[in-house]
Amino acid sequence: MNEVNPFETAQRQLDKAADVLDLDHSVHQALREPMRTFIVNFQVEMDDGSTKTFKGYRVQYNDALGPTKGGLRFHPDETLDTVKALAAWMTWKTAVADIPYGGGKGGVVCDPTELSESELERISRAYVCAVSDFIGPEKDIPAPDVYTTSQTMAWMMDEFSKIKGVNAPDVITGKPIGIGGSLGRGDATARGVIYTIREAAKELGMNLDGARVAVQGYGNVGFHAHKLAEEQLGAKVVAIGDAEGAIYSDDGLKHKKISNNMKEHGVFAKDIEGTEFLGDGDKGNAELLELPVDILIPAAIENVLTAKNADHVRAEVLAEAANGPTTPEADEILYENGVYIIPDFLCNAGGVTVSYFEWVQNRNRYYWSKSEVYERLDKKMTKAFADVHERAREEDVDNRTAAYMVSIEKVAEAMKLRGWV
Ligand code: GLU
């Protein structure tokens, strides 16, 4: 459970930027709450023949810039406030990346580690059935997030298409390539993270060749961030961690070795020769966050950097691949200590950017090459980074506040043009 309520964090971050912007009161009030919130309860038959009721959420935070867009999480600790926070951050994310979407998010309260493949399929289909009137290619477009995969998206797209009697690949993104997914979507979030680190290093005069990196969280984003930090930046990933624990090697953990080991043993790479085990679960991750590294990449969930450990962070750059990894208290400490933060909704905007490319390709029934996707993604991320970095310098504010300022202005303008405020 989160000790810090993520939605309160999102509101506090907004308030801070609204203050610097001297934002119109009516716009500020409108942006403090989601436009629409759906709570659904639905029944699913389990493998043992029993029927279980599951709770799901979908929050459409703001759609002034376009249909709402954002992932779906399957998580045992999912709460409405977490989904509201994530939907708010999606609103700022799509705005900073300059893609024509609003922000949304969804979730189902369940523990995927205790469910079979067929139970997961039935949950995915039942969730879509429950929200099918609220989502759609021109309304609200889900995508993968924590514990959901391209297969989850495939089942959901299929179910929506059946319910509506149309073939609607554009209702959801992050699909497998064979049914309308985009090349380059799989590692897009991590790739975007790497592009922003590259840009930050240029600004800071930091040499990335051999730079020491720690990655906390080893799901889709952490796994690919490790690979790309090596391949694209020439950096040395010295520590990785996930729910099972964290490992360290001063010489660098080779991605290939780690992924081969994980494939072989089916679990996180705990026992690899030549690596030091930092500890199980939370303990290992806590150590990882405080290692003397150049770049720290939290790539899991919210609230990993708090008032308790922020002062011990020794990285020069904090690249927030996860959504909401830093609490407002930690934010202040890190800023004062001179840590260069690439804020979450800028840093991890690569995923939704390629989701947008996927949707564009689906709507045109015309598909791009991988290099086209990478090139366009690089352009978007580089521009978004420059907008935020410059704004922070001009206004003498931290990068997160600057990112909020850039995004709020775009959303506020759209709201005004539509005559809402
Ligand atoms: N779940 C991802 C995020 O938090 C991707 C969202 C999307 O592609 O719509 O940014």
Side-chain angles (χ1 to χ4, degrees):
M1 274 296 175
N2 281 318
E3 277 172 43
V4 179
N5 181 326
F7 188 53
E8 278 167 26
T9 297
Q11 286 185 320
R12 281 174 67 181
Q13 292 168 343
L14 167 74
D15 293 347
K16 184 173 171 193
D19 202 34
V20 185
L21 274 175
D22 200 13
L23 188 67
D24 190 279
H25 180 70
S26 53
V27 178
H28 184 190
Q29 286 311 105
L31 293 176
R32 289 193 96 245
E33 293 291 338
M35 293 177 71
R36 287 179 288 274
T37 298
F38 303 102
I39 303 175
V40 293
N41 293 287
F42 52 89
Q43 284 66 49
V44 177
E45 190 182 336
M46 309 307 284
D47 288 347
D48 65 6
S50 66
T51 299
K52 227 175 136 178
T53 296
F54 288 86
K55 188 178 285 299
Y57 305 107
R58 187 72 194 168
V59 174
Q60 298 170 351
Y61 200 83
N62 185 293
D63 62 6
L65 284 171
T68 45
K69 182 88 190 80
L72 271 177
R73 312 210 300 189
F74 284 180
H75 202 279
D77 297 334
E78 201 68 326
T79 65
L80 182 57
D81 273 0
T82 308
V83 182
K84 277 161 71 175
L86 291 160
W89 291 324
M90 284 309 304
T91 307
W92 314 128
K93 194 180 302 189
T94 52
V96 84
D98 213 20
I99 54 183
Y101 287 138
K105 201 84 178 196
V108 176
V109 187
C110 67
D111 185 353
T113 60
E114 288 181 356
L115 295 161
S116 72
E117 181 86 350
S118 53
E119 286 169 338
L120 282 171
E121 175 172 356
R122 289 195 292 277
I123 292 172
S124 304
R125 290 184 183 277
Y127 172 79
V128 161
C129 195
V131 300
S132 62
D133 277 345
F134 320 134
I135 63 170
E138 283 159 350
K139 261 190 213 177
D140 183 12
I141 306 134
D145 202 274
V146 175
Y147 285 143
T148 53
T149 63
S150 58
Q151 179 61 69
T152 324
M153 301 302 113
W155 291 323
M156 291 188 173
M157 184 276 268
D158 182 67
E159 191 65 23
F160 182 85
S161 295
K162 280 180 180 151
I163 293 168
K164 301 289 174 189
V166 290
N167 201 320
D170 47 355
V171 67
I172 209 157
T173 58
K175 300 178 294 294
I177 306 293
I179 48 165
S182 175
L183 293 171
R185 177 64 184 83
D187 65 2
T189 306
R191 197 169 285 273
V193 170
I194 296 299
Y195 291 150
T196 61
I197 294 174
R198 181 196 65 200
E199 294 305 301
K202 274 188 212 158
E203 293 295 342
L204 299 170
M206 182 182 197
N207 182 10
L208 287 171
D209 193 25
R212 291 161 59 86
V213 180
V215 181
Q216 184 262 334
Y218 218 63
N220 174 49
V221 182
F223 180 84
H224 287 112
H226 179 180
K227 182 164 187 273
L228 295 169
E230 252 175 44
E231 277 175 18
Q232 304 266 312
L233 305 177
K236 191 165 82 173
V237 176
V238 293
I240 57 172
D242 86 344
E244 288 181 49
I247 55 171
Y248 177 83
S249 162
D250 208 40
D251 300 331
L253 302 157
K254 284 275 163 251
H255 184 267
K256 201 156 184 56
K257 191 169 167 187
I258 303 293
S259 72
N260 284 344
N261 192 281
M262 285 173 73
K263 258 185 233 153
E264 214 173 294
H265 301 291
V267 288
F268 183 69
K270 262 201 231 182
D271 311 308
I272 299 190
E273 222 192 291
T275 69
E276 189 188 324
F277 185 57
L278 294 175
D280 280 314
D282 290 348
K283 185 182 167 287
N285 281 277
E287 290 228 1
L288 177 149
L289 296 169
E290 299 178 12
L291 287 172
V293 291
D294 300 301
I295 302 160
L296 176 61
I297 309 181
I301 51 170
E302 315 84 58
N303 296 339
V304 292
L305 293 166
T306 65
K308 282 188 204 140
N309 61 0
D311 212 19
H312 303 141
V313 168
R314 289 189 272 172
E316 190 179 340
V317 172
L318 173 66
E320 295 182 337
N323 291 310
T326 308
T327 66
E329 287 74 21
D331 235 349
E332 267 173 40
I333 297 168
L334 293 164
Y335 185 60
E336 261 165 39
N337 289 352
V339 177
Y340 188 91
I341 301 184
I342 309 173
D344 52 2
F345 65 81
L346 165 66
C347 189
N348 68 33
V352 73
T353 299
V354 177
S355 272
Y356 166 57
F357 297 160
E358 180 174 332
W359 181 79
V360 168
Q361 294 170 78
N362 291 156
R363 292 181 80 76
N364 289 307
R365 303 289 202 261
Y366 182 79
Y367 290 84
W368 310 347
S369 68
K370 207 183 244 182
S371 58
E372 269 175 284
V373 172
Y374 290 166
E375 208 179 296
R376 289 180 204 247
L377 174 64
D378 195 345
K379 266 195 201 141
K380 282 270 187 214
M381 295 302 298
T382 303
K383 169 79 170 60
F385 178 88
D387 288 349
V388 172
H389 181 80
E390 269 163 38
R391 193 68 185 257
R393 217 172 15 196
E394 272 165 29
E395 312 257 359
D396 196 20
V397 292
D398 59 280
N399 285 340
R400 192 181 319 280
T401 304
Y404 264 93
M405 292 167 77
V406 169
S407 296
I408 290 170
E409 276 175 355
K410 290 185 193 170
V411 178
E413 190 199 356
M415 289 167 72
K416 283 201 176 115
L417 287 169
R418 285 174 182 266
W420 293 355
V421 284

